[in-house]
Amino acid sequence: MLSEPFYDPSKSYLENFESGPFGAFAHPIRYAEPGEARHSFLGHKVFAPLGIPAGPLLNGKYVKAALDLGYDLPVYKTVRTRKYASHPWPNVLAVHPAGDLPAGLQRLVGDECYSEPLSITNSFGVPSFDPDFWQPDLADAVSYARAGQVVIASYQGTKSEGGGVAEYVEDFRVGARLLKETGVKIVEVNLSCPNEGTSALLCFDIERARIICEAIKAELGETQLLIKLAYFADEAMLEKFVRAVGPVVDGICSINTISAEIVDAEGRQALPGAGRLNSGVCGSSIKWAGLDMARRLTAWREKLGLSYAVVGVGGLSSAADFDEYRRAGADAAMTATAAMWNPRLAEEIKRDAHEL
């Protein structure tokens, strides 16, 4: 049975940002760990290699609640070097694929009937406040983590009006510096966003992704770098990407979402505004893709003699799902959609998973 979600889809992004989190996240009771942290993620001791990926943890209040509830690798929602507005409401709708959602573009009906097996679409446009807000807010969340927990910060580059590729790469570098100043130990850069000047995802432009990652890593120094990827259907392209970018980064997180056309019951575009017919789907229907990428990224790591960590994301909603990700080779696994409606999921996984 689904609980009250900590992000309320009936409210706008700003209402959730200012008034949330809701449900059990509003007044969390700090989870009492039964022992000492004995797992390691990128050299950091953690109670469990389990977290919430970039997306639903809108600010420090959300991150602190996630830490209290036992999510030991929470990711602060993706920020930018400048203020950026959210897409208009609604931003979250339920969708109901018949089983696994294929990687090819599908058409799904979006509605407000949230039920299990749970899949949703989310369409925010990666909003951000200015660094004047998020730098101290993130620093406060980082310092709130106890021993055995690590806060991760996510960000992405922003195109400058009239600017070119050089300005785009520089924005990634500046963002890395701003994040490093907060004291965060692990930074994640979102490469599953549109590339500068194109509609294609940045992670599919392998040479530019390599250049950006090298610029970020040079700025971060000892601060560790994760990259967030979309699903790669083409194995040759994935190999090429890993060969080019794998030696540069400390970890690879995959997947983000699978895109689909979202319509209402009458077949009309469900999310208002230009460019919002296609929207990312997450939840149980994309677990197959997250597991597939975890296996393939692990296999290429071993074949090429690389050392990056693999973070599995997509459809994790139970202790059994966590076990699947760990057996697939994931060094850590994260849950977003299921955690939103089941805030005690971390406790369930720590109690019932066999791969801890």
Side-chain angles (χ1 to χ4, degrees):
M1 183 175 178
L2 301 179
S3 302
E4 178 186 359
F6 67 71
Y7 180 97
D8 186 347
S10 71
K11 294 179 169 60
S12 70
Y13 164 76
L14 281 177
E15 288 173 317
N16 276 278
F17 191 97
E18 293 170 354
S19 302
F22 302 99
F25 264 56
H27 304 286
I29 299 172
R30 183 166 255 197
Y31 176 68
E33 297 290 345
E36 295 183 357
R38 59 185 181 87
H39 296 277
S40 181
F41 177 71
L42 290 178
H44 305 286
K45 285 291 186 181
V46 292
F47 292 112
L50 171 68
I52 295 179
L57 302 180
L58 306 190
N59 53 43
K61 293 182 294 183
Y62 287 77
V63 173
K64 288 179 179 180
L67 290 166
D68 282 344
L69 289 165
Y71 297 91
D72 297 327
L73 294 169
V75 185
Y76 192 100
K77 185 173 174 61
T78 309
V79 296
R80 298 175 183 262
T81 58
R82 69 200 77 166
K83 192 171 184 178
Y84 200 88
S86 171
H87 287 330
W89 182 90
N91 303 103
V92 174
L93 292 172
V95 293
H96 312 279
D100 293 342
L101 179 66
L105 194 63
Q106 306 291 306
R107 172 168 283 202
L108 301 173
V109 172
D111 57 34
E112 298 175 2
C113 300
Y114 300 94
S115 59
E116 297 179 295
L118 181 63
S119 287
I120 63 171
T121 185
N122 68 85
S123 174
F124 291 91
V126 194
S128 178
F129 283 79
D130 282 320
D132 285 349
F133 170 82
W134 62 252
Q135 275 194 303
D137 188 55
L138 172 58
D140 182 54
V142 168
S143 66
Y144 186 81
R146 56 184 148 168
Q149 298 182 314
V150 182
V151 173
I152 301 168
S154 174
Y155 86 112
Q156 74 175 53
T158 305
K159 306 168 190 174
S160 300
E161 187 173 348
V165 173
E167 289 82 4
Y168 187 48
V169 174
E170 177 64 10
D171 189 76
F172 278 99
R173 190 195 64 76
V174 171
R177 174 178 59 79
L178 293 171
L179 285 168
K180 185 178 179 180
E181 290 171 355
T182 70
V184 71
K185 297 174 182 176
I186 304 173
V187 167
E188 177 190 275
V189 63
N190 180 14
L191 300 185
S192 56
C193 57
N195 197 356
E196 190 275 330
T198 76
S199 60
L201 301 185
L202 177 54
C203 60
F204 297 150
D205 185 339
I206 296 171
E207 180 58 20
R208 187 168 298 172
R210 181 190 63 78
I211 292 169
I212 287 171
C213 287
E214 287 178 346
I216 294 169
K217 191 60 183 168
E219 185 68 35
L220 289 179
E222 295 301 313
T223 303
Q224 291 161 309
L225 176 61
L226 288 176
I227 54 174
K228 171 66 84 59
L229 302 185
Y231 181 74
F232 278 66
D234 187 317
E235 191 66 18
M237 179 179 282
L238 180 61
E239 178 188 358
K240 185 178 179 182
F241 180 92
V242 172
R243 286 183 180 275
V245 182
V248 180
V249 303
D250 299 291
I252 301 177
C253 183
S254 186
I255 64 170
N256 190 343
T257 61
I258 290 179
S259 185
E261 291 185 359
I262 309 299
V263 298
D264 62 19
E266 285 72 44
R268 300 170 299 196
Q269 180 176 322
L271 299 166
R276 295 184 76 199
L277 173 59
N278 295 347
S279 180
V281 172
C282 48
S284 63
S285 60
I286 70 164
K287 186 180 81 170
W288 71 271
L291 285 168
D292 184 55
M293 283 292 284
R295 295 186 187 102
R296 293 158 66 200
L297 287 168
T298 301
W300 281 116
R301 177 180 64 188
E302 294 174 357
K303 185 173 182 178
L304 299 176
L306 300 174
S307 60
Y308 58 79
V310 174
V311 182
V313 182
L316 194 165
S317 60
S318 67
D321 292 339
F322 177 84
D323 286 342
E324 276 194 86
Y325 269 104
R326 293 285 278 166
R327 289 194 296 269
D331 300 283
M334 298 192 180
T335 171
T337 305
M340 285 170 63
W341 273 266
N342 179 12
R344 304 289 180 187
L345 181 55
E347 185 175 347
E348 295 174 13
I349 290 172
K350 289 179 174 181
R351 183 190 67 219
D352 298 335
H354 299 293
E355 300 296 327
L356 277 174

